[in-house]
């Protein structure tokens, strides 16, 4: 029974994981505010998690090959839950950073395992659809997690929100382990001493890296940097500048999730089925860049929030498109490492983007929005280069 419906169960658990992972995000700005930490703390704290996510994504990609996706998901969901519990107990910036570093170590394993499980269990004709479904569930249930977490922070307490998050993550990790198919390869030998070195894992990317791949991964890095700078700045901005409590943050993200669901199930699927993704993704990237630049100069709160919703809708479309490009350019032999490296570059962008947003906030609260738009426009130019090289490779 479980074997027959394992993909349905997988996507249910992915939805639960994304909901739980985002429960604490709407209350984090309030936590920072209540602890009287510096304004730049929101960026530094997120960067701490993204840092270990970045370092250990290739490491987890190798562990997925040997141990299988379901074991790594079980371990990492439980570990992430414990990291979030530590976060709720800490009261100073250094100790909170320690908790976020612990959480980031396990988050990398979750992201890589979800992508590789889809690649291992879907044929080529289904892969794009499943990646789009995964991205849609991530967007929608992340937004739902924001909504639930925001109201938990107001109606219960910040600490209670973290405890609920920890319990759900640990239980979901157990469900991943029990219910999914085993896609491990016991013939692969893993050396923990060698593979625990994150820099060695990055060096191993030479097995598949080409100039064309490098351009695509640079686009992943820049857009991740832009998205994170925007997202982290937005969460703190509406608390600091508008005085919104966590319930407003949750409600806004819930509306964003609904809009993103419509965009992903209509526009995104149409683009993947009916167009050349390498070309259609350009309109999305440049559209996001222009929107963010415009938003910097919008004076009213209602217009600001309206553009924010449009941004997240376009961003939700972009993610499965670029994932499909990475997966399509990889072979079955190196798909684990390719998706691990994709996640690593995305995480590197999260580090730089979060730090950038945190420190530039002290110069001007709106500057992160402006520079995020510029970063998107730059990535669009590199995507034009990637399309030209990829077209030439296919002809040759």
């Amino acid at each position: 029974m479980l074997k027959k419906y394992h993909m349905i169960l997988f996507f249910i658990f992915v939805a639960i994981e994304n909901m739980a992972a985002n429960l604490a995000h709407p209350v984090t700005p309030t936590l920072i505010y209540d602890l009287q930490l510096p304004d730049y703390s929101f960026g530094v704290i997120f960067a701490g998690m993204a840092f270990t996510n970045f370092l250990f994504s290739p490491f987890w990609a190798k562990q997925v090959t040997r141990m299988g996706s379901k074991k790594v998901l079980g371990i990492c969901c439980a570990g992430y839950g414990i990291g979030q519990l530590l976060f709720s107990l800490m009261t100073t910036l250094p100790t909170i950073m320690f908790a976020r570093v612990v959480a980031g170590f396990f988050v990398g394993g979750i992201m890589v395992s979800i992508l590789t499980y889809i690649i291992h269990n879907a044929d080529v004709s289904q892969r794009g659809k499943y990646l789009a479904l995964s991205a849609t569930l991530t967007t929608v249930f992340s937004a739902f997690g924001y909504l639930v977490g925001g109201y938990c922070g107001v109606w219960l307490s910040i600490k209670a929100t973290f405890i609920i998050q920890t319990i759900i993550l640990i239980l979901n990790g157990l469900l991943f382990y029990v219910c999914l198919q085993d896609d491990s390869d016991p013939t692969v030998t893993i050396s923990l001493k060698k593979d625990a070195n994150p820099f060695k894992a990055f060096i191993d990317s030479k097995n598949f890296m080409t100039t064309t791949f490098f351009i695509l991964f640079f686009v992943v890095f820049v857009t991740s940097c832009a998205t994170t700078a925007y997202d982290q700045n937005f969460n703190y901005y509406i608390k600091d500048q508008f005085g919104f409590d966590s319930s407003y943050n949750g409600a806004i993200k819930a509306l964003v999730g609904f809009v993103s669901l419509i965009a992903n199930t209509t526009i995104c699927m149409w683009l993947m089925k009916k167009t050349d993704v390498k070309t259609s993704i350009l309109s999305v990237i440049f559209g996001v860049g222009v929107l963010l630049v415009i938003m910097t100069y919008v004076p009213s709160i209602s217009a600001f929030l309206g553009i924010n919703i449009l941004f997240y809708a376009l961003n939700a479309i972009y993610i499965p498109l670029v994932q499909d490009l990475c997966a399509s350019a990889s072979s079955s032999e190196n798909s684990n490492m390719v998706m691990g490296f994709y996640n690593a570059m995305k995480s590197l962008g999260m580090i730089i983007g979060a730090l950038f947003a945190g420190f530039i906030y002290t110069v001007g609260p709106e500057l992160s929005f402006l520079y995020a738009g510029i970063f998107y426009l730059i990535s669009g130019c590199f995507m034009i280069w990637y399309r030209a090289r990829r077209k030439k490779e296919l002809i040759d």
Side-chain angles (χ1 to χ4, degrees):
M1 178 68 74
L2 292 179
K3 184 177 180 180
K4 183 178 180 181
Y5 297 105
H6 73 101
M7 287 305 295
I8 295 175
L9 292 172
F10 167 74
F11 284 117
I12 291 173
F13 302 152
V14 167
I16 295 172
E17 191 279 328
N18 279 288
M19 184 275 292
N22 287 276
L23 286 174
H25 287 325
V27 302
T28 299
T30 303
L31 179 65
I32 294 171
Y33 207 82
D34 291 347
L35 292 175
Q36 298 183 327
L37 299 178
D39 283 340
Y40 61 78
S41 298
F42 74 88
V44 173
I45 288 170
F46 188 84
M49 183 193 72
F51 179 68
T52 42
N53 185 349
F54 162 70
L55 284 182
F56 291 99
S57 285
F59 165 76
W60 284 117
K62 287 197 171 186
Q63 302 313 308
V64 167
T65 304
R66 177 66 177 85
M67 297 169 60
S69 301
K70 71 173 193 172
K71 289 181 182 178
V72 174
L73 281 167
I75 293 169
C76 291
C77 278
Y80 181 36
I82 292 170
Q84 289 300 94
L85 183 62
L86 288 175
F87 184 10
S88 69
L89 299 174
M90 303 307 178
T91 56
T92 65
L93 186 55
T95 56
I96 289 175
M97 279 292 293
F98 170 75
R100 299 305 278 157
V101 164
V102 171
F105 172 75
F106 293 104
V107 166
I110 296 173
M111 293 180 175
V112 170
S113 299
I114 288 173
L115 292 175
T116 53
Y117 193 81
I118 292 173
I119 292 172
H120 288 166
N121 291 279
D123 56 39
V124 176
S125 63
Q126 292 178 311
R127 188 169 56 198
K129 180 180 69 174
Y130 283 167
L131 287 172
L133 176 58
S134 176
T136 302
L137 291 174
T138 297
T139 301
V140 173
F141 281 88
S142 294
F144 182 63
Y146 262 92
L147 178 64
V148 175
Y151 281 100
C152 281
V154 173
W155 293 343
L156 300 176
S157 68
I158 292 176
K159 188 156 291 186
T161 305
F162 277 98
I163 292 172
I164 292 170
Q165 181 185 39
T166 298
I167 293 171
I168 295 175
L169 285 170
I170 292 174
L171 290 176
N172 202 50
L174 181 62
L175 290 172
F176 270 127
Y177 179 75
V178 171
C179 299
L180 297 190
Q181 291 254 64
D182 184 9
D183 58 354
S184 62
D185 185 353
T187 63
V188 175
T189 55
I190 298 291
S191 169
L192 287 178
K193 181 179 179 181
K194 182 184 297 185
D195 295 332
N197 178 354
F199 300 103
K200 172 65 170 61
F202 278 99
I203 292 171
D204 287 345
S205 66
K206 69 178 182 294
N207 296 326
F208 64 83
M209 190 61 67
T210 63
T211 301
T212 307
F213 245 140
F214 179 80
I215 296 169
L216 181 58
F217 283 126
F218 182 76
V219 171
V220 171
F221 162 72
V222 176
T223 51
S224 176
C225 182
T227 301
T228 305
Y230 174 85
D231 199 36
Q232 292 302 302
N233 195 62
F234 176 81
N235 290 339
Y236 191 75
Y237 185 90
I238 63 174
K239 170 67 179 177
D240 186 49
Q241 299 294 313
F242 300 157
F244 290 174
D245 63 35
S246 61
S247 64
Y248 281 91
N249 199 332
I252 292 168
K253 288 297 178 72
L255 178 59
V256 164
F258 178 72
V259 173
S260 299
L261 172 63
I262 296 174
N264 251 346
T265 54
T266 55
I267 300 172
C268 182
M269 294 305 297
W270 184 83
L271 290 175
M272 294 181 77
K273 290 180 179 179
K274 303 294 186 180
T275 70
D276 179 2
V277 173
K278 295 186 294 297
T279 300
S280 54
I281 196 174
L282 290 172
S283 300
V284 179
I285 293 177
F286 281 117
V288 171
V290 171
L291 266 181
L292 294 186
V293 172
I294 291 173
M295 194 185 70
T296 308
Y297 301 100
V298 169
S300 69
I301 294 177
S302 57
F304 172 86
L305 294 178
I307 293 177
N308 166 73
I309 292 169
L310 288 175
F311 160 76
Y312 278 109
L314 287 177
N315 191 62
I317 295 171
Y318 156 75
I319 292 172
L321 294 181
V322 76
Q323 286 179 349
D324 186 58
L325 288 177
C326 291
S328 300
S330 65
S331 65
S332 57
E333 292 78 18
N334 62 28
S335 60
N336 283 5
M337 288 303 299
V338 169
M339 299 316 290
F341 200 81
Y342 160 81
N343 191 56
M345 295 308 294
K346 181 179 176 182
S347 300
L348 179 60
M350 290 162 64
I351 298 168
I352 304 301
L355 288 174
F356 180 83
F359 287 110
I360 205 169
Y361 190 92
T362 60
V363 178
E366 295 85 9
L367 288 178
S368 277
F369 303 140
L370 174 62
Y371 282 105
I374 294 172
F375 292 160
Y376 263 106
L377 296 176
I378 292 171
S379 68
C381 295
F382 274 86
M383 182 54 72
I384 292 173
W385 186 16
Y386 169 79
R387 184 185 61 169
R389 286 190 61 91
R390 186 67 175 153
K391 184 178 180 180
K392 185 176 183 300
E393 287 177 354
L394 291 175
I395 293 174
D396 294 340

